[in-house]
Amino acid sequence: MVVYDMHGASMPLESNGEWQSLIGKTVTVYRGGPESKTGKLLDVQSDYLALFNENESAMIYYALHHVQSISENAKANSVPSFSSSSSEPVLPIGAPNFHELLSSLVNERIQVNQGGRSRNKERY
C-alpha cells in the first residue's frame, strides 16, 4: 500500500502522522474498482480515515487496511474554492479507531460497500 503526496513522493501507509498535512485537501482514495472516491480528507485516525465526497454529499469512512493508495489532487488544491452554500461545515464522527466508529453508528442508517456491491443497512 502506498500513499502519494502532492509531489508524487510515496509515503508508507502506516505513516498516519504524515497524512495530517493532507487533512482539508482534496484527495482520491484508491481501493481499486468502483469504491475509489475523490473528496476532502477530513480525518485520519489509527486505523481509518474520513473523506467527504461533495458530489454525493456523503461522509465515507475507510478502514485503512482496505486502502491501496491515496493521492492528492494538486490541481484542485491549488485553486481556492468558494462555496456558495450557506450550510454548516460537515464534520466526521470523532472516534479513536474503526471499531469505536462503528459502535457509534449503531441505530443509524448507513451504507456498506463491499467489492463494488452496495447494501443499505438500517437498524431500528
Side-chain angles (χ1 to χ4, degrees):
M1 293 185 237
V2 181
V3 178
Y4 298 94
D5 69 12
M6 62 186 252
H7 305 292
S10 63
M11 295 184 286
L13 188 61
E14 292 78 20
S15 182
N16 294 355
E18 294 182 38
W19 292 11
Q20 299 304 315
S21 64
L22 295 176
I23 291 177
K25 296 189 177 184
T26 301
V27 300
T28 299
V29 176
Y30 295 99
R31 282 200 46 185
E35 293 184 43
S36 296
K37 297 285 184 182
T38 298
K40 191 168 296 267
L41 183 64
L42 296 183
D43 194 14
V44 177
Q45 292 296 326
S46 63
D47 61 351
Y48 78 93
L49 60 85
L51 180 84
F52 183 71
N53 181 290
E54 292 178 357
N55 295 335
E56 299 174 12
S57 295
M59 184 69 67
I60 304 167
Y61 296 95
Y62 287 96
L64 289 180
H65 67 273
H66 289 292
V67 174
Q68 293 175 0
S69 65
I70 297 176
S71 61
E72 180 182 353
N73 184 329
K75 184 176 180 181
N77 292 328
S78 67
V79 178
S81 62
F82 299 99
S83 176
S84 61
S85 68
S86 61
S87 62
E88 292 184 29
V90 178
L91 299 174
I93 294 172
N97 58 57
F98 196 66
H99 182 267
E100 289 192 31
L101 170 69
L102 293 177
S103 294
S104 69
L105 292 169
V106 170
N107 297 321
E108 297 289 334
R109 187 168 195 269
I110 65 169
Q111 178 175 321
V112 177
N113 293 348
Q114 180 179 359
R117 298 178 306 230
S118 302
R119 294 183 182 196
N120 287 323
K121 299 288 183 186
E122 290 187 46
R123 186 170 180 156
Y124 299 98

Short mmCIF file of all heavy atoms in Angstrom, two decimals, residues 17-43:
data_model
loop_
_atom_site.label_atom_id
_atom_site.label_comp_id
_atom_site.label_asym_id
_atom_site.label_seq_id
_atom_site.Cartn_x
_atom_site.Cartn_y
_atom_site.Cartn_z
N GLY A 17 0.93 9.97 10.67
CA GLY A 17 1.34 11.30 11.08
C GLY A 17 1.61 12.21 9.90
O GLY A 17 1.31 13.40 9.93
N GLU A 18 2.17 11.66 8.83
CA GLU A 18 2.46 12.46 7.64
C GLU A 18 1.18 12.82 6.89
O GLU A 18 1.18 13.75 6.10
CB GLU A 18 3.41 11.71 6.72
CG GLU A 18 4.79 11.53 7.34
CD GLU A 18 5.75 10.83 6.42
OE1 GLU A 18 5.71 11.10 5.21
OE2 GLU A 18 6.53 10.02 6.91
N TRP A 19 0.11 12.11 7.13
CA TRP A 19 -1.15 12.39 6.45
C TRP A 19 -1.82 13.63 7.00
O TRP A 19 -2.71 14.18 6.38
CB TRP A 19 -2.10 11.22 6.60
CG TRP A 19 -1.68 10.00 5.88
CD1 TRP A 19 -0.48 9.74 5.28
CD2 TRP A 19 -2.47 8.85 5.66
NE1 TRP A 19 -0.49 8.50 4.73
CE2 TRP A 19 -1.69 7.93 4.94
CE3 TRP A 19 -3.76 8.51 6.01
CZ2 TRP A 19 -2.17 6.68 4.57
CZ3 TRP A 19 -4.23 7.27 5.64
CH2 TRP A 19 -3.45 6.38 4.92
N GLN A 20 -1.43 14.07 8.18
CA GLN A 20 -2.05 15.24 8.79
C GLN A 20 -1.96 16.44 7.85
O GLN A 20 -2.85 17.29 7.85
CB GLN A 20 -1.40 15.55 10.14
CG GLN A 20 -1.53 14.44 11.16
CD GLN A 20 -2.96 14.02 11.43
OE1 GLN A 20 -3.85 14.86 11.59
NE2 GLN A 20 -3.22 12.73 11.48
N SER A 21 -0.91 16.51 7.05
CA SER A 21 -0.76 17.63 6.13
C SER A 21 -1.78 17.58 4.99
O SER A 21 -1.99 18.57 4.30
CB SER A 21 0.66 17.67 5.55
OG SER A 21 0.90 16.52 4.77
N LEU A 22 -2.41 16.42 4.77
CA LEU A 22 -3.42 16.28 3.72
C LEU A 22 -4.83 16.57 4.21
O LEU A 22 -5.76 16.69 3.41
CB LEU A 22 -3.37 14.88 3.11
CG LEU A 22 -2.10 14.51 2.35
CD1 LEU A 22 -2.16 13.06 1.89
CD2 LEU A 22 -1.89 15.44 1.18
N ILE A 23 -5.01 16.68 5.51
CA ILE A 23 -6.35 16.95 6.05
C ILE A 23 -6.82 18.30 5.54
O ILE A 23 -6.10 19.29 5.56
CB ILE A 23 -6.37 16.88 7.58
CG1 ILE A 23 -6.16 15.43 8.02
CG2 ILE A 23 -7.67 17.45 8.14
CD1 ILE A 23 -6.09 15.24 9.50
N GLY A 24 -8.04 18.33 5.02
CA GLY A 24 -8.62 19.54 4.45
C GLY A 24 -8.36 19.68 2.96
O GLY A 24 -8.87 20.60 2.33
N LYS A 25 -7.59 18.77 2.40
CA LYS A 25 -7.27 18.85 0.97
C LYS A 25 -8.07 17.81 0.19
O LYS A 25 -8.55 16.83 0.74
CB LYS A 25 -5.78 18.62 0.76
CG LYS A 25 -4.96 19.73 1.40
CD LYS A 25 -3.53 19.64 1.02
CE LYS A 25 -2.79 20.82 1.65
NZ LYS A 25 -1.41 20.86 1.25
N THR A 26 -8.20 18.04 -1.11
CA THR A 26 -8.88 17.10 -1.99
C THR A 26 -7.92 15.97 -2.34
O THR A 26 -6.81 16.23 -2.80
CB THR A 26 -9.37 17.81 -3.26
OG1 THR A 26 -10.25 18.87 -2.88
CG2 THR A 26 -10.08 16.84 -4.19
N VAL A 27 -8.36 14.75 -2.08
CA VAL A 27 -7.56 13.57 -2.35
C VAL A 27 -8.44 12.51 -3.01
O VAL A 27 -9.67 12.59 -2.97
CB VAL A 27 -6.94 12.97 -1.05
CG1 VAL A 27 -6.03 13.96 -0.36
CG2 VAL A 27 -8.02 12.48 -0.10
N THR A 28 -7.80 11.52 -3.61
CA THR A 28 -8.51 10.35 -4.11
C THR A 28 -8.02 9.14 -3.33
O THR A 28 -6.82 8.92 -3.21
CB THR A 28 -8.24 10.15 -5.62
OG1 THR A 28 -8.72 11.30 -6.32
CG2 THR A 28 -8.97 8.91 -6.14
N VAL A 29 -8.97 8.40 -2.78
CA VAL A 29 -8.67 7.17 -2.05
C VAL A 29 -8.91 6.02 -3.01
O VAL A 29 -10.01 5.88 -3.55
CB VAL A 29 -9.56 7.03 -0.80
CG1 VAL A 29 -9.31 5.71 -0.10
CG2 VAL A 29 -9.31 8.19 0.15
N TYR A 30 -7.88 5.23 -3.23
CA TYR A 30 -7.97 4.10 -4.15
C TYR A 30 -8.14 2.81 -3.39
O TYR A 30 -7.31 2.44 -2.58
CB TYR A 30 -6.71 4.01 -5.02
CG TYR A 30 -6.54 5.18 -5.94
CD1 TYR A 30 -5.70 6.22 -5.61
CD2 TYR A 30 -7.25 5.26 -7.14
CE1 TYR A 30 -5.54 7.32 -6.45
CE2 TYR A 30 -7.10 6.35 -7.97
CZ TYR A 30 -6.24 7.37 -7.63
OH TYR A 30 -6.10 8.44 -8.44
N ARG A 31 -9.22 2.14 -3.68
CA ARG A 31 -9.43 0.79 -3.19
C ARG A 31 -9.43 -0.16 -4.37
O ARG A 31 -9.57 -1.34 -4.20
CB ARG A 31 -10.77 0.69 -2.47
CG ARG A 31 -10.72 1.26 -1.09
CD ARG A 31 -11.84 0.75 -0.26
NE ARG A 31 -12.00 -0.70 -0.40
CZ ARG A 31 -12.96 -1.39 0.16
NH1 ARG A 31 -13.85 -0.79 0.87
NH2 ARG A 31 -13.05 -2.67 -0.01
N GLY A 32 -9.33 0.38 -5.55
CA GLY A 32 -9.48 -0.43 -6.75
C GLY A 32 -10.95 -0.52 -7.09
O GLY A 32 -11.80 -0.55 -6.20
N GLY A 33 -11.28 -0.52 -8.35
CA GLY A 33 -12.67 -0.68 -8.76
C GLY A 33 -13.53 0.52 -8.42
O GLY A 33 -13.06 1.63 -8.27
N PRO A 34 -14.84 0.28 -8.26
CA PRO A 34 -15.81 1.36 -8.12
C PRO A 34 -15.80 2.05 -6.77
O PRO A 34 -16.48 3.05 -6.60
CB PRO A 34 -17.15 0.66 -8.36
CG PRO A 34 -16.91 -0.73 -7.93
CD PRO A 34 -15.47 -1.03 -8.31
N GLU A 35 -15.07 1.55 -5.79
CA GLU A 35 -15.10 2.16 -4.47
C GLU A 35 -14.03 3.23 -4.28
O GLU A 35 -13.88 3.77 -3.20
CB GLU A 35 -15.01 1.09 -3.39
CG GLU A 35 -16.26 0.22 -3.38
CD GLU A 35 -16.26 -0.79 -2.28
OE1 GLU A 35 -15.87 -0.44 -1.16
OE2 GLU A 35 -16.64 -1.93 -2.54
N SER A 36 -13.28 3.56 -5.33
CA SER A 36 -12.34 4.67 -5.25
C SER A 36 -13.15 5.96 -5.31
O SER A 36 -14.04 6.11 -6.13
CB SER A 36 -11.36 4.60 -6.42
OG SER A 36 -10.58 3.45 -6.31
N LYS A 37 -12.83 6.88 -4.42
CA LYS A 37 -13.59 8.13 -4.33
C LYS A 37 -12.66 9.31 -4.18
O LYS A 37 -11.57 9.20 -3.60
CB LYS A 37 -14.53 8.12 -3.13
CG LYS A 37 -15.60 7.05 -3.16
CD LYS A 37 -16.68 7.41 -4.14
CE LYS A 37 -17.79 6.36 -4.08
NZ LYS A 37 -18.83 6.61 -5.03
N THR A 38 -13.11 10.46 -4.67
CA THR A 38 -12.40 11.71 -4.51
C THR A 38 -13.22 12.61 -3.60
O THR A 38 -14.44 12.67 -3.72
CB THR A 38 -12.19 12.39 -5.88
OG1 THR A 38 -11.38 11.54 -6.68
CG2 THR A 38 -11.50 13.74 -5.72
N GLY A 39 -12.56 13.28 -2.70
CA GLY A 39 -13.24 14.19 -1.80
C GLY A 39 -12.25 14.87 -0.89
O GLY A 39 -11.04 14.78 -1.08
N LYS A 40 -12.77 15.55 0.10
CA LYS A 40 -11.94 16.28 1.05
C LYS A 40 -11.62 15.36 2.23
O LYS A 40 -12.51 14.81 2.85
CB LYS A 40 -12.67 17.52 1.55
CG LYS A 40 -11.78 18.46 2.34
CD LYS A 40 -12.46 19.80 2.56
CE LYS A 40 -12.71 20.51 1.28
NZ LYS A 40 -11.70 21.44 0.85
N LEU A 41 -10.32 15.18 2.49
CA LEU A 41 -9.89 14.36 3.62
C LEU A 41 -10.14 15.16 4.89
O LEU A 41 -9.60 16.25 5.06
CB LEU A 41 -8.41 14.01 3.49
CG LEU A 41 -7.84 13.09 4.57
CD1 LEU A 41 -8.50 11.72 4.52
CD2 LEU A 41 -6.33 12.95 4.40
N LEU A 42 -10.99 14.63 5.77
CA LEU A 42 -11.36 15.37 6.98
C LEU A 42 -10.71 14.85 8.24
O LEU A 42 -10.55 15.59 9.22
CB LEU A 42 -12.88 15.36 7.16
CG LEU A 42 -13.67 16.08 6.07
CD1 LEU A 42 -15.16 16.06 6.41
CD2 LEU A 42 -13.19 17.50 5.88
N ASP A 43 -10.32 13.56 8.25
CA ASP A 43 -9.75 13.00 9.48
C ASP A 43 -8.95 11.75 9.14
O ASP A 43 -9.29 11.02 8.21
CB ASP A 43 -10.88 12.64 10.46
CG ASP A 43 -10.38 12.38 11.87
OD1 ASP A 43 -9.22 12.71 12.18
OD2 ASP A 43 -11.16 11.85 12.68
#
